[in-house]
Amino acid sequence: GTQHKFLFDLLQRESQSGFGQDHGFSSINSVAEFRRRVPITRYEYFEPYIERVKSGETQALFHRDRVVMFAMTSGTTNIRKFIPVTNRYAKSYRRAWQVWGVSAFRTRSEIFTDAKLVLASGHDEFRVGPGIPCGSISGYSASSQSLFIRRNYVLPHQAAHIQETESKHYLSWRLG
């Protein structure tokens, strides 16, 4: 029931986006209908919409939501891909980690005072369109952690921006 409500709330919210209009979100009334209209497919299917978002036309995919960054894939299957991260998604991503953190704290509270070696890449490797940062979602998450959590990180935030892999690993090893 929760998943069904989530899907139909999403369809209603995004029905005015370009993607939602092109796929008739406003008239989808069953999961089967959703599956017919929005097939499981490759990144290239979504790429024209993503390109529009990269150029600043957020409405191509999202109605009334701001893209805070593009999470970049590693490019193992082809070129690196741009995954839009909206305010709404960033909030739910943080919430999921908070739920995990509370659970971990309840069972192993002593780990919260220990030093932590957090390995992350930068969330702002380069920018597209109207200045939207592109990079690592883990870097975004690490940089937006509360000071309470970050105070025990071994690596300074700036280490995420080291591009040369051997130097980054060496620094991580030394400080870790």
Side-chain angles (χ1 to χ4, degrees), residues 17-89:
S17 70
F19 188 84
Q21 289 176 354
D22 290 350
H23 291 81
F25 281 9
S26 62
S27 63
I28 294 175
N29 55 24
S30 71
V31 173
E33 180 68 18
F34 172 73
R35 288 177 179 151
R36 278 192 297 279
R37 297 213 189 161
V38 186
I40 294 173
T41 188
R42 302 179 62 81
Y43 176 83
E44 290 76 18
Y45 183 83
F46 303 97
E47 196 168 19
Y49 299 96
I50 291 171
E51 287 300 317
R52 288 168 54 192
V53 173
K54 281 171 54 181
S55 68
E57 190 188 335
T58 307
Q59 281 286 118
L61 280 174
F62 309 105
H63 183 66
R64 295 187 184 157
D65 206 358
R66 185 173 151 280
V67 174
V68 296
M69 73 169 293
F70 283 98
M72 300 299 300
T73 65
S74 64
T76 54
T77 60
N78 195 357
I79 59 171
R80 294 179 78 188
K81 294 165 184 69
F82 293 78
I83 310 301
V85 176
T86 63
N87 276 332
R88 188 175 289 112
Y89 178 78

Side-chain angles (χ1 to χ4, degrees), residues 5-159:
K5 180 179 178 350
F6 180 84
L7 172 63
F8 285 93
D9 286 350
L10 179 68
L11 291 173
Q12 181 180 3
R13 183 178 62 243
E14 302 304 342
S15 66
Q16 297 306 306
S17 70
F19 188 84
Q21 289 176 354
D22 290 350
H23 291 81
F25 281 9
S26 62
S27 63
I28 294 175
N29 55 24
S30 71
V31 173
E33 180 68 18
F34 172 73
R35 288 177 179 151
R36 278 192 297 279
R37 297 213 189 161
V38 186
I40 294 173
T41 188
R42 302 179 62 81
Y43 176 83
E44 290 76 18
Y45 183 83
F46 303 97
E47 196 168 19
Y49 299 96
I50 291 171
E51 287 300 317
R52 288 168 54 192
V53 173
K54 281 171 54 181
S55 68
E57 190 188 335
T58 307
Q59 281 286 118
L61 280 174
F62 309 105
H63 183 66
R64 295 187 184 157
D65 206 358
R66 185 173 151 280
V67 174
V68 296
M69 73 169 293
F70 283 98
M72 300 299 300
T73 65
S74 64
T76 54
T77 60
N78 195 357
I79 59 171
R80 294 179 78 188
K81 294 165 184 69
F82 293 78
I83 310 301
V85 176
T86 63
N87 276 332
R88 188 175 289 112
Y89 178 78
K91 182 179 176 182
S92 69
Y93 187 83
R94 277 192 297 275
R95 177 78 177 126
W97 277 107
Q98 289 168 349
V99 168
W100 176 86
V102 168
S103 175
F105 183 77
R106 287 182 178 158
T107 59
R108 301 277 314 272
S109 61
E110 70 277 5
I111 67 173
F112 284 85
T113 57
D114 294 341
K116 293 163 190 61
L117 180 59
V118 176
L119 302 174
S121 295
H123 71 282
D124 195 355
E125 293 176 35
F126 60 95
R127 292 179 177 242
V128 295
I132 303 169
C134 302
S136 165
I137 187 75
S138 62
Y140 177 79
S141 178
S143 70
S144 62
Q145 284 287 353
S146 72
L147 284 176
F148 174 75
I149 300 296
R150 280 196 325 224
R151 71 180 180 184
N152 293 328
Y153 284 5
V154 172
L155 291 175
H157 171 67
Q158 294 84 348

